[in-house]
């Protein structure tokens, strides 16, 4: 759009008034260029009053091109050039705020440093803005320097700035230092109390928060004070009753109060109480509905969750994400995909990163590779950053859908990889039995100094187990302990048992379990029993089976493994004994299941299952395949 200037005949050609009238209409880089050209050609670039107004009009604009131009005008026409700007930091503060509240908070520190270094006056707002930047960046050392400077000047006892210091210390996780500032303050207000209460709550120190809340003067308690305490108690599990008592005592309530109580009830599984609060609420928002939907989905009441979702007056992306998460948690993966397509198509809502994580997980569970490729195309078209969780989920999806090549392609094209990306790729290779490739990837991590975590080693050890790499697996276990100083968890010990068991070192696995510093769980014992079954180690297998049955007598897999092992040695009396035990305890073997994807549709088959609509055609085809072809037989003869 062209900005038109109609100069009044009573005004000189270089009057600043027409330019001033245009400032509020500027929205784009093109408009900025027109304004810039006009003030240069008219000589108004030297008009300090006009350039000041340009800075103040543009510096807080939501349009980045206008903010950049305001900074350019400030640094080229005002900073360190106009004496008045050295004595009055108003314009400096306006520019500093654009940094501290914008996308480049670190520049606020640079600007503040220039102010102090060049003798520009700094006031309470200058300090509050630079502390805001330190809070956002989590800068402790720089913030301590600001605090030290404050103590040297008369502003050190300013209540507003002391509250800023408390907020900064808390954001940086320095609760004790925040408390020290709080206790030394000559005067306290509601902001001081509320900041400390919120800090205690976020650190899980509910008792300390409660003591401070109780000591607050009545006139200083406000909605924020009550809400912080209710939220703290509601989230603490055993504090829900205290939260309800405070909620009933509140002089007034807002949406945050109601939502905090509902969220607490939902997390404690008390859906009847949550529903009672929901029905009493004078006003609801998207957070309220999302909490209720999440609670019902978490408890397995998907029909109620769906009904609430349908009743919602307005649905946003967060609500759709909540519903999709509910489907995912309840194993309804196709339903999660259906609602995703509805959200994107019918509702024209743009998925956020959380949406993509959910849908990629659903696709991974279903093995729908074609849909996964479509999501990948969407991610590329919209230039979504893959350096975070979305990239990890994309690698995981391709691996679980059987396309390790695509997973490697995604992994290779991510420039900013963190340990989670490496873990996803190592686990993906392990699942496909590519143990040596997984080990090579781990060695590459070591070479370029990417620090592995416990999940990395679970992936590497699992890969070694599947590929039969015994020595390499034991070496990685020692690297984890000795080089990276990571304490092995139960999963790591389980991987070593699996490595030894798969390779036939059943006695070694048995000895390894007996020497473990932590007690083995049923998964580890079942892994050893499976190895005993595969390698015919009946003497050890019987001991392991008895221990497993003692640990978990309701799990049928232990009985089945023992029965199969007896059958392998043709010990039919013992086989019948195990089966009799299963009948007495009313245990049933979980039927085997296989599935195949044909033209985008997944077909699932259980043992002796006749429910598939084309079962007759499938059985007929299988019979034909198993019947010898006479012509082929003649040819062979």
């Amino acid at each position: 759009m062209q900005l038109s200037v109609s100069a009044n005949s009573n005004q000189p050609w270089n009057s600043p008034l027409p330019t001033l009238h245009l400032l509020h209409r500027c929205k784009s880089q093109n408009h900025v260029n027109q304004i810039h050209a006009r003030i240069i050609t008219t000589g108004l670039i030297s008009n300090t009053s006009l350039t000041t107004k340009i800075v103040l009009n543009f510096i807080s604009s939501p349009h980045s091109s206008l903010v950049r131009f305001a900074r350019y005008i400030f640094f080229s026409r005002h900073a360190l050039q106009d004496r008045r700007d050295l004595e009055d930091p108003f314009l400096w503060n306006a520019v500093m705020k654009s940094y501290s509240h914008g996308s480049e908070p670190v520049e606020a520190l640079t600007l503040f440093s220039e102010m102090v270094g060049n003798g520009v006056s700094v006031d309470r707002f200058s300090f509050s803005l630079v502390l805001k930047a330190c809070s956002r960046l989590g800068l402790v050392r720089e913030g301590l320097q600001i605090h030290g400077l404050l103590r040297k000047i008369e502003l050190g006892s300013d209540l507003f700035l002391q509250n800023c210091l408390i907020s900064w210390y808390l954001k940086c996780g320095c609760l004790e230092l925040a408390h020290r500032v709080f206790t030394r303050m000559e005067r306290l207000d509601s902001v001081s109390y509320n900041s400390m209460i919120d800090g205690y709550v976020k650190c899980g120190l509910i008792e300390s928060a409660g003591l401070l809340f109780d000591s607050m003067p009545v006139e200083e308690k406000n909605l924020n004070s009550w809400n912080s305490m209710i939220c703290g108690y509601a989230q603490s599990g055993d504090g829900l009753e205290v939260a309800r008592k405070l909620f009933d005592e509140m002089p007034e309530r807002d949406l945050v109060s109601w939502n905090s109580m509902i969220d607490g009830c939902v997390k404690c599984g008390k859906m009847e109480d949550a529903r009672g609060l929901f029905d009493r609420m004078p006003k609801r928002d998207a957070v309220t509905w999302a909490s209720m939907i999440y609670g019902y989905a978490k408890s397995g009441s998907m029909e109620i969750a769906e009904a609430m979702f349908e009743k919602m007056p307005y649905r946003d992306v967060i609500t759709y994400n909540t519903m999709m998460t509910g489907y995912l948690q309840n194993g309804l993966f196709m339903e999660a995909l259906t609602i995703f397509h509805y959200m994107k198509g019918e509702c024209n809502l743009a998925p956020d990163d959380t949406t993509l994580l959910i849908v990629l997980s659903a696709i991974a569970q279903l093995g729908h590779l074609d849909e996964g490729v479509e999501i990948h195309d969407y991610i590329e078209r919209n230039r979504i950053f893959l350096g975070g969780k979305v990239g990890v989920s994309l690698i995981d999806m391709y691996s679980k859908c059987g396309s390790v090549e695509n997973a490697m392609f995604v992994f290779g094209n991510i420039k900013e990889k963190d340990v989670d990306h490496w873990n996803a790729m190592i686990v993906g290779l392990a699942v496909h039995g590519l143990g040596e490739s997984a080990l090579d990837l781990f060695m590459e991590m070591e070479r370029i100094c990417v620090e592995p975590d416990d999940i990395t080693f679970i992936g590497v050890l699992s890969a070694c187990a599947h590929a039969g790499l015994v020595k390499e697996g034991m070496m990685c276990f020692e690297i984890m302990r000795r080089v990276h100083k990571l304490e092995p968890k139960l999963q790591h010990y389980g991987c070593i048992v699996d490595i030894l068991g798969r390779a036939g070192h059943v006695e070694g696995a048995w000895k390894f379990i007996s020497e473990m510093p932590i007690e083995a769980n049923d998964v580890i014992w079942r892994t050893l029993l499976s190895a005993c079954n595969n390698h015919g180690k009946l003497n050890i297998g019987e001991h392991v089976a008895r221990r497993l049955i003692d640990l978990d007598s309701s799990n049928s897999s232990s009985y089945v493994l023992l029965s199969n092992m007896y059958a392998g040695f043709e010990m039919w009396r013992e086989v019948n004994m195990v089966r009799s035990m299963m009948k007495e305890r009313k245990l049933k073997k979980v039927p085997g299941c296989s599935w195949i994807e044909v033209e985008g549709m997944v077909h699932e088959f259980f043992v002796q299952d006749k429910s598939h609509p084309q079962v007759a055609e499938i059985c007929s085809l299988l019979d034909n395949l198993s019947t010898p072809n006479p012509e082929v037989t003649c040819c062979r003869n």
Side-chain angles (χ1 to χ4, degrees), residues 120-135:
V120 181
S121 296
V122 288
D123 61 11
R124 63 204 297 262
F125 297 109
S126 312
F127 278 102
S128 70
L129 292 168
V130 75
L131 284 170
K132 171 75 173 179
C134 289
S135 295

Side-chain angles (χ1 to χ4, degrees), residues 282-341:
K283 185 181 177 182
R284 306 179 184 108
D285 63 1
V287 174
T288 318
W289 289 90
S291 293
M292 293 299 296
I293 291 167
Y294 172 79
Y296 281 121
K298 185 182 175 185
S299 64
S301 304
M302 283 306 300
E303 289 184 7
I304 303 176
E306 288 171 335
M308 294 205 79
F309 182 75
E310 292 298 326
K311 286 180 184 176
M312 281 189 70
Y314 167 76
R315 302 187 196 107
D316 58 7
V317 174
I318 295 173
T319 319
Y320 275 97
N321 290 347
T322 304
M323 196 66 216
M324 288 168 62
T325 301
Y327 282 130
L328 204 63
Q329 289 173 339
N330 287 275
L332 303 169
F333 308 120
M334 281 302 299
E335 286 81 353
L337 288 183
T338 301
I339 204 169
F340 165 74
H341 291 304

Side-chain angles (χ1 to χ4, degrees), residues 201-339:
V201 166
K202 286 178 178 172
C203 290
L205 302 172
I206 309 300
E207 189 176 339
S208 299
L211 290 171
L212 190 56
F213 177 80
D214 292 338
S215 70
M216 277 181 76
V218 176
E219 63 273 12
E220 296 294 352
K221 288 183 181 177
N222 56 24
L223 257 175
N224 289 337
S225 320
W226 289 90
N227 285 342
S228 289
M229 290 308 307
I230 287 170
C231 181
Y233 280 117
Q235 300 299 317
S236 64
D238 57 348
L240 191 59
E241 289 184 13
V242 181
R244 187 58 187 259
K245 184 174 180 293
L246 285 173
F247 180 79
D248 293 336
E249 292 173 359
M250 288 181 75
E252 60 174 327
R253 304 184 187 106
D254 63 1
L255 262 173
V256 175
S257 320
W258 290 92
N259 286 342
S260 295
M261 278 305 305
I262 287 175
D263 185 57
C265 291
V266 164
K267 286 181 176 173
C268 291
K270 298 188 175 182
M271 287 309 299
E272 287 186 14
D273 294 342
R275 187 59 188 253
L277 290 164
F278 178 83
D279 292 338
R280 285 173 50 205
M281 284 182 75
K283 185 181 177 182
R284 306 179 184 108
D285 63 1
V287 174
T288 318
W289 289 90
S291 293
M292 293 299 296
I293 291 167
Y294 172 79
Y296 281 121
K298 185 182 175 185
S299 64
S301 304
M302 283 306 300
E303 289 184 7
I304 303 176
E306 288 171 335
M308 294 205 79
F309 182 75
E310 292 298 326
K311 286 180 184 176
M312 281 189 70
Y314 167 76
R315 302 187 196 107
D316 58 7
V317 174
I318 295 173
T319 319
Y320 275 97
N321 290 347
T322 304
M323 196 66 216
M324 288 168 62
T325 301
Y327 282 130
L328 204 63
Q329 289 173 339
N330 287 275
L332 303 169
F333 308 120
M334 281 302 299
E335 286 81 353
L337 288 183
T338 301
I339 204 169

Side-chain angles (χ1 to χ4, degrees), residues 527-589:
T527 301
L528 182 58
L529 181 57
S530 180
C532 292
N533 185 29
N534 293 334
H535 296 283
K537 300 291 183 179
L538 181 63
N539 56 335
I540 297 176
E542 285 183 311
H543 290 293
V544 174
R546 291 193 194 99
R547 182 165 296 199
L548 257 174
I549 290 168
D550 290 339
L551 274 174
D552 186 5
S553 60
S554 62
N555 193 317
S556 64
S557 63
S558 306
Y559 298 86
V560 172
L561 282 170
L562 181 59
S563 174
N564 290 344
M565 188 163 57
Y566 282 138
F569 283 93
E570 298 184 359
M571 300 169 67
W572 306 117
R573 187 172 63 83
E574 285 77 6
V575 169
N576 290 329
M577 179 190 71
V578 173
R579 288 179 179 176
S580 298
M581 287 172 62
M582 291 181 70
K583 284 181 182 179
E584 287 172 10
R585 297 173 186 182
K586 296 179 180 179
L587 300 176
K588 290 184 179 180
K589 178 186 174 184

Side-chain angles (χ1 to χ4, degrees), residues 335-352:
E335 286 81 353
L337 288 183
T338 301
I339 204 169
F340 165 74
H341 291 304
Y342 179 79
M343 178 194 87
K344 196 160 66 75
E346 299 292 325
C347 302
N348 200 28
L349 287 172
D352 61 11

